[in-house]
Amino acid sequence: MGFCDAAGETSASSGKGGNKRFPQSRDVEDGYAGGGSDAACDTAHSDNARPARDGHVTPATLAQKRNNSNILEAIHATVPPSDGVNGGLVPPRLLDENLAVVGAMLHDIGTYLVLKHDGSDGERLQFDGPNYILHGLRGYDWLIGQGVDESIAQFARNHTGVGLTREQVVAQGLPLPPADYVPMNLEQEVVMVADKYNSKSIPPRFLTAEAYARKARRFGADNERAWLDLVRKYGVPDIPALAKKFDMKLDA
């Protein structure tokens, strides 16, 4: 995985092939963590990928992750700081901003389908922890049932953790149909990454890139490397400023 540099070559994190990673782990906020992917700089195909009906979605590829343990060391910027983001690589194409915004608005709709207690009686809202990992797929199925296009519904299906592969679903015995639940294009990957900077805890809170790296580390070194690779790719947003703007708690 990786954006292309100015010379048209893929970044150092680019590669293909499956990964055996992530011991079984349960997390109410992110479910199980896996490896994200994108076919930005190649046309490698996956038999398990579901293309959108409009042909927009490209097949997913898996990536070999760079071994970095420090957020700053993981970033080798090719673009100057802008819009509150430091670092990042030049994308291979312009993103479909409208698609990403709609996907961002709908990607977590399945969380309403994994509630243990909905708070309607004034008591504290609670998620059904063991089934929280199903929120992406349940949201996807609900959106498809409402007639929403596949290219939008996939934002719900493919955002858990840093991506979840068929291999991990089988190896960990997860309560999901064996399949790849990984971003299929840059727009889906952007939403997946942004999702990691905010937690649905009660009350909700923001997480810095460093805070999520510590969280990812609990699921294994490969999971942390996958996150660091995404940080290198997209840069580090000014999360403390967002927390201050929205008067929310911050995990630094």
Side-chain angles (χ1 to χ4, degrees):
M1 180 178 63
F3 282 6
C4 300
D5 64 19
E9 298 174 349
T10 56
S11 68
S13 62
S14 184
K16 305 183 186 72
N19 290 295
K20 294 183 178 179
R21 55 186 184 266
F22 314 120
Q24 187 170 0
S25 54
R26 297 181 183 276
D27 188 290
V28 170
E29 295 162 4
D30 289 319
Y32 297 77
S37 64
D38 183 71
C41 299
D42 58 39
T43 57
H45 291 269
S46 167
D47 292 337
N48 301 320
R50 293 191 191 180
R53 288 193 292 269
D54 64 0
H56 181 78
V57 175
T58 56
T61 60
L62 302 181
Q64 294 177 342
K65 305 303 179 181
R66 299 189 322 113
N67 183 16
N68 288 311
S69 60
N70 183 282
I71 288 291
L72 295 180
E73 291 177 357
I75 302 170
H76 301 285
T78 62
V79 294
S82 62
D83 297 326
V85 178
N86 283 299
L89 304 178
V90 177
R93 63 170 174 83
L94 293 176
L95 272 67
D96 184 334
E97 186 175 339
N98 290 332
L99 177 65
V101 169
V102 172
M105 293 177 68
L106 293 175
H107 79 284
D108 258 344
I109 198 166
T111 57
Y112 292 99
L113 304 176
V114 290
L115 290 173
K116 182 177 181 179
H117 189 82
D118 65 8
S120 58
D121 58 0
E123 295 297 320
R124 180 174 174 171
L125 182 147
Q126 288 182 294
F127 290 111
D128 180 1
N131 287 316
Y132 188 83
I133 192 174
L134 297 171
H135 80 279
L137 183 58
R138 287 183 179 178
Y140 168 84
D141 289 338
W142 186 87
L143 290 169
I144 291 295
Q146 298 299 309
V148 175
D149 190 79
E150 175 86 10
S151 63
I152 299 298
Q154 282 190 354
F155 281 88
R157 184 181 183 275
N158 299 334
H159 79 274
T160 300
V162 289
L164 185 63
T165 68
R166 171 187 291 268
E167 180 182 50
Q168 291 152 4
V169 170
V170 173
Q172 299 177 26
L174 305 184
L176 288 165
D180 289 331
Y181 302 91
V182 295
M184 302 290 282
N185 54 35
L186 293 177
E187 288 78 13
Q188 290 180 26
E189 191 172 74
V190 164
V191 171
M192 181 189 74
V193 171
D195 181 69
K196 307 291 93 71
Y197 288 108
N198 190 264
S199 166
K200 289 177 287 297
S201 57
I202 308 295
R205 65 187 189 277
F206 280 101
L207 289 82
T208 63
E210 290 84 357
Y212 191 81
R214 294 193 300 270
K215 185 174 181 178
R217 195 177 306 144
R218 301 202 307 264
F219 304 129
D222 283 339
N223 192 39
E224 181 185 8
R225 283 193 293 269
W227 171 245
L228 292 177
D229 192 63
L230 290 167
V231 170
R232 176 179 180 268
K233 182 175 180 178
Y234 289 100
V236 179
D238 189 352
I239 299 300
L242 287 174
K244 182 177 180 180
K245 177 179 179 179
F246 293 101
D247 194 25
M248 291 173 62
K249 296 178 67 175
L250 173 70
D251 285 358

